[in-house]
Amino acid sequence: MLREQKTEESGCPREGILEIDDTEGVRSVAELGNAEGNGAGLLERILDNDNLNKAYKRVKVNGGAAGVDGMTVTELFPHLKEHGWELVQSIKEGKYKPQPVRRVEIPKPDGGVRLLGVPAVIDRMIQQAIVQILQPIFEPTFSDSSYGFRPGRSAHQAIEQAKKYYEEGYRYVVDIDLAKYFDTVNHDILINKVREHVTDERVIKLIRKYLKSGVM
């Protein structure tokens, strides 16, 4: 499944990483770091062993192509067993630098190409770990009328709600879209909105690094 998310530099959607919950049978990455648990800051919650293990399992089940470093999902486990502690420490110290997203061109049925972005598998795991902690924080702030890319919500539910509106007597639909939104969104405004709910500046800096990671 491909998620429509684009980088600032190239307008390149990124390969989806958040869809699958079933991780039965996937090996666990034991003791990646020495995170302090939920009582510490938000970054410590993201880097908590249980959270990282869950993120790894989701990336493993989701599969997908390799990023710019050529590392496959299958190679992620042995890499983390050997270098996981170093990865966690580099993130804690603010030294971690996300890899650029690998750009892929997919032919369209009607001609032309569609640009897709494939993050490195390590970055997909880190992004997943971030989402697992931030999603419960931001979910209550979203509109009840929003059905896109949210847990427990789907296009089918949106259709059912539209049907209810029709049965209530509504007859008009207004279709509004923001053209090239991810190409033009102001990152400073976006980050400031995140700061309204995230006070750990280390997490803010990590998110900003992903926004600026670029493509190859």
Side-chain angles (χ1 to χ4, degrees):
M1 184 173 181
L2 299 173
R3 181 177 182 180
E4 291 294 328
Q5 180 174 331
K6 302 179 181 180
T7 63
E8 179 186 34
E9 287 80 2
S10 72
C12 186
R14 295 179 183 229
E15 191 175 51
I17 62 170
L18 311 177
E19 294 78 8
I20 298 177
D21 289 324
D22 183 11
T23 56
E24 183 177 358
V26 177
R27 298 170 69 191
S28 174
V29 181
E31 298 302 321
L32 281 182
N34 189 26
E36 299 177 17
N38 292 350
L42 200 62
L43 184 65
E44 280 69 33
R45 293 174 58 191
I46 291 171
L47 298 178
D48 178 78
N49 288 328
D50 290 340
N51 189 56
L52 288 175
N53 278 327
K54 183 179 178 181
Y56 160 76
K57 290 179 180 180
R58 287 198 177 186
V59 171
K60 176 68 174 179
V61 171
N62 234 23
V68 294
D69 59 356
M71 183 185 296
T72 65
V73 173
T74 303
E75 295 169 328
L76 178 59
F77 182 84
H79 176 84
L80 291 174
K81 289 290 287 184
E82 184 175 353
H83 302 287
W85 187 85
E86 299 170 21
L87 173 65
V88 169
Q89 287 302 115
S90 67
I91 296 174
K92 283 184 176 181
E93 296 170 4
K95 297 178 180 179
Y96 181 76
K97 184 178 180 180
Q99 299 182 66
V101 174
R102 180 169 68 89
R103 184 168 66 183
V104 180
E105 294 183 349
I106 305 297
K108 292 182 179 180
D110 57 350
V113 295
R114 181 185 183 192
L115 297 179
L116 302 179
V118 184
V121 291
I122 291 177
D123 287 320
R124 298 212 292 267
M125 186 191 77
I126 297 171
Q127 291 171 6
Q128 181 66 44
I130 294 171
V131 167
Q132 288 166 181
I133 298 301
L134 295 193
Q135 194 168 58
I137 296 174
F138 283 93
E139 263 297 308
T141 72
F142 295 150
S143 168
D144 190 53
S145 299
S146 172
Y147 293 91
F149 300 110
R150 295 178 63 187
R153 290 181 173 246
S154 67
H156 293 287
Q157 292 174 327
I159 293 172
E160 285 298 320
Q161 184 59 56
K163 180 182 177 183
K164 291 179 182 178
Y165 287 143
Y166 178 80
E167 292 170 348
E168 292 173 5
Y170 293 95
R171 293 293 181 267
Y172 295 94
V173 174
V174 178
D175 184 11
I176 301 175
D177 190 18
L178 297 176
K180 297 183 178 180
Y181 170 76
F182 288 106
D183 295 337
T184 59
V185 61
N186 186 303
H187 287 172
D188 290 331
I189 295 176
L190 177 63
I191 288 295
N192 285 334
K193 295 299 290 184
V194 174
R195 276 199 179 100
E196 293 178 5
H197 303 278
V198 175
T199 58
D200 193 329
E201 280 298 315
R202 299 169 300 169
V203 176
I204 294 293
K205 291 178 180 178
L206 183 58
I207 294 173
R208 189 180 284 277
K209 285 181 179 181
Y210 276 111
L211 291 174
K212 301 292 187 181
S213 61
V215 301
M216 288 181 66

